[in-house]
Amino acid sequence: MTTPPTGPAYGEGVHYHLPRRARGLRVRVVATFVVAALVALAIALAAFTFGLRQILTSSAGDSATTEAQQVAKELSTTDDASAALRAAGVHTQVVQVLDASGALLATNDSHASTPLARPDESTRRTEITLDGDRDHYVVATLGAHTRSGAERWVVAAAPIDHEDTIVDTTIVLLALTAGCLLVVTGWGIHRVVGRALAPVERIRLGVERIRSSHRPERVTVPATGDEIERLAITMNAMLDRLDAADASQRAFISDASHELRSPLATIRTLTETDPEPSESTRVIHSETLRLQGIVESLLALARADDDALALTLRDVDLDDVAHTEVLRARSASPTRDGEPVVVSADLAPVRVVADGERLAQVVRNLVDNALRHATSAVRVTTRVEDAGSREPATDRDAAGRVNERPDDARGTAVLTVDNDGSVLDAGDREAIFGRFVRLDDARSRDAGGSGLGLAIARAIAQAHGGTLVAEESPDGWCRFTLRLPLG
């Protein structure tokens, strides 16, 4: 098991700002909780309100029934309905006495001049207008008999506006309380989810800081004893496996390239010293030169992967290097439809600190690539770009890392190589820098490229602290842009 690197104790003295995606996850979790809680609270509040209203209404109905029973008791001792109402002493409720047909015989409220219910009607909640005011009542109906045996009906109406006020007030208070609890709980969940995601973000940042897979950098393993710790351990184990595979691959490429140099040199010597070379000998010689170029390119890339690309830094005039390559390109310019590809240049004086031979290799690879894909013209320019005019970096290397452009307060040296061939699609502008990448358009025309030139050019640019990207020029040409710190 890989020993975790030393560093700050887990969660101590380090503050992590979650990226937009992590913040989005935290917001989604909180939003899901809030929506679910709102639905649950709404259902619970509706059920509680219904139950409370039923209880209070039932209580008011019981009170109305009790008053009706009191009046019915008084009716059993007299035939005078009004006397029975007075004897019952009902003042808080509206009570009426009806005959068997439902006609009003007596009432304790002069405003209740019409029957409030029909005989034998069950207890119910209703609205009654008395003295111009429309209020809520619970009406109870009870059968009774007078002293002489005449059938009567007692109707008692109990007001329930006070109960409705209690229900409404309770709803408001419960809603406010639930809202406050929801806000506090949502904030707490937001904090908890943020703290739960912080270790994951710490692991992600640790992996992102590993600039190359063969370096012994690893993410810090938090001593939490939970899934986060296991994730970090698994991540380090995966990095170990990637390192082992990468080291094996690089060793194979380096060893194979070294082993191939001697036999290729022997074959080249034999083909070059043949006094009467045949056609097959000339073909073998040509292919041997091509193989030697591929081997040297593989060795250069292997050294770049190991950060062992030897650079002899000195002041170099980038415009002079570009001028030399332009002259070479003009002398060996291919033809298109019987006409040579025109190579033009607009070279402003630019000086950088670089390895002259490696820099010439970059420019040569870019110009050769442009010649292979140009329709009729290639254009090479150099200029100095002010520090304030640079756009954000857009290129990434093979590992997906953003290659930041040189951040020199004095400005940046810029070399562009354009050709009027097909512009690379946006999805191919990073893939073109991969090793042995040959896009479909290239396969039909390119008979000499190995698919390593652009990969080597970018590796050399990055070794100098610069960048190399594929773009589209303002006039619609295919462009490769090299940026280096000024010398």
Side-chain angles (χ1 to χ4, degrees):
M1 182 181 298
T2 303
T3 302
T6 59
Y10 176 68
E12 292 182 2
V14 182
H15 298 281
Y16 296 95
H17 298 283
L18 297 178
R20 181 172 298 177
R21 289 182 179 178
R23 290 197 298 270
L25 175 61
R26 186 160 56 172
V27 169
R28 288 196 298 272
V29 170
V30 175
T32 301
F33 164 77
V34 169
V35 171
L38 281 175
V39 172
L41 287 174
I43 295 174
L45 189 60
F48 177 81
T49 302
F50 177 79
L52 180 61
R53 193 179 299 277
Q54 288 296 108
I55 291 173
L56 294 178
T57 300
S58 177
S59 177
D62 291 343
S63 176
T65 301
T66 301
E67 294 294 344
Q69 290 173 343
Q70 182 65 27
V71 173
K73 181 180 178 181
E74 296 297 332
L75 274 175
S76 65
T77 62
T78 180
D79 290 330
D80 187 350
S82 297
L85 288 176
R86 290 191 297 272
V90 180
H91 302 291
T92 60
Q93 300 180 9
V94 178
V95 181
Q96 296 176 331
V97 179
L98 310 180
D99 61 15
S101 64
L104 179 64
L105 299 177
T107 179
N108 67 341
D109 190 325
S110 60
H111 299 102
S113 57
T114 58
L116 301 179
R118 297 185 303 275
D120 200 22
E121 189 173 4
S122 60
T123 302
R124 60 187 176 87
R125 176 190 175 96
T126 186
E127 290 184 348
I128 299 175
T129 302
L130 297 176
D131 195 20
D133 296 328
R134 191 172 182 83
D135 299 320
H136 290 95
Y137 287 80
V138 173
V139 178
T141 303
L142 182 67
H145 292 84
T146 64
R147 183 176 59 184
S148 62
E151 183 181 3
R152 298 289 183 265
W153 289 95
V154 180
V155 178
I160 55 172
D161 287 338
H162 179 66
E163 286 78 1
D164 287 344
T165 301
I166 292 176
V167 172
D168 293 341
T169 303
T170 302
I171 292 174
V172 172
L173 292 177
L174 287 178
L176 291 175
T177 302
C180 293
L181 288 175
L182 196 61
V183 170
V184 173
T185 306
W187 176 83
I189 292 177
H190 188 270
R191 295 280 295 178
V192 169
V193 173
R195 291 179 65 86
L197 290 177
V200 178
E201 177 64 9
R202 182 176 183 173
I203 293 173
R204 188 193 68 81
L205 290 175
V207 174
E208 191 176 67
R209 282 196 298 267
I210 299 175
R211 300 299 295 173
S212 59
S213 61
H214 61 279
R215 292 181 180 176
E217 298 181 18
R218 294 294 179 267
V219 299
T220 302
V221 178
T224 57
D226 58 9
E227 290 83 356
I228 301 299
E229 179 178 353
R230 293 193 291 274
L231 173 63
I233 293 174
T234 302
M235 187 67 67
N236 285 338
M238 181 191 69
L239 291 174
D240 288 340
R241 292 192 296 271
L242 290 175
D243 273 359
D246 182 68
S248 177
Q249 182 184 38
R250 287 185 289 105
F252 170 77
I253 292 174
S254 179
D255 294 343
S257 299
H258 279 291
E259 293 297 326
L260 286 172
R261 295 177 83 178
S262 295
L264 286 175
T266 301
I267 296 172
R268 178 178 178 179
T269 300
L270 291 175
T271 56
E272 289 179 346
T273 57
D274 189 346
E276 296 181 1
S278 63
E279 182 64 26
S280 60
T281 301
R282 284 191 289 270
V283 172
I284 292 173
H285 180 263
S286 174
E287 291 302 310
T288 300
L289 293 179
R290 184 170 180 269
L291 280 174
Q292 281 188 316
I294 293 175
V295 168
E296 294 301 324
S297 297
L298 287 173
L299 282 173
L301 287 173
R303 295 189 186 103
D305 286 342
D306 290 330
D307 291 338
L309 192 63
L311 299 177
T312 303
L313 300 179
R314 57 184 176 82
D315 287 342
V316 178
D317 291 321
L318 180 59
D319 54 304
D320 288 346
V321 174
H323 180 67
T324 300
E325 294 304 322
V326 167
L327 293 179
R328 181 190 63 82
R330 287 172 178 170
S331 65
S333 176
T335 58
R336 301 283 188 268
D337 299 328
E339 297 293 332
V341 174
V342 177
V343 181
S344 61
D346 181 10
L347 307 176
V350 181
R351 176 165 291 184
V352 296
V353 176
D355 185 310
E357 292 184 2
R358 294 294 186 186
L359 187 58
Q361 185 179 5
V362 172
V363 179
R364 186 181 309 116
N365 288 354
L366 293 178
V367 172
D368 287 347
N369 178 74
L371 288 173
R372 283 193 292 270
H373 300 289
T375 300
S376 61
V378 171
R379 181 174 58 208
V380 182
T381 67
T382 58
R383 71 178 190 275
V384 174
E385 187 178 70
D386 294 335
S389 65
R390 294 195 299 273
E391 298 177 353
T394 58
D395 57 316
R396 295 177 180 267
D397 61 16
R401 302 185 301 260
V402 173
N403 296 312
E404 298 179 356
R405 292 177 179 172
D407 189 11
D408 195 319
R410 295 170 295 178
T412 303
V414 180
L415 172 121
T416 62
V417 180
D418 304 341
N419 71 81
D420 62 348
S422 300
V423 178
L424 289 171
D425 294 334
D428 294 332
R429 293 180 186 177
E430 283 305 314
I432 194 65
F433 292 101
R435 299 171 189 184
F436 298 107
V437 171
R438 303 277 296 278
L439 301 181
D440 292 338
D441 179 65
R443 293 192 184 101
S444 63
R445 178 181 298 174
D446 188 356
S450 64
L452 294 173
L454 293 177
I456 292 173
R458 172 172 274 190
I460 295 174
Q462 292 173 348
H464 284 84
T467 63
L468 177 61
V469 296
E471 300 173 325
E472 181 179 354
S473 68
D475 54 357
W477 287 23
C478 181
R479 167 172 291 181
F480 286 84
T481 303
L482 171 69
R483 285 181 169 84
L484 297 171
L486 282 177

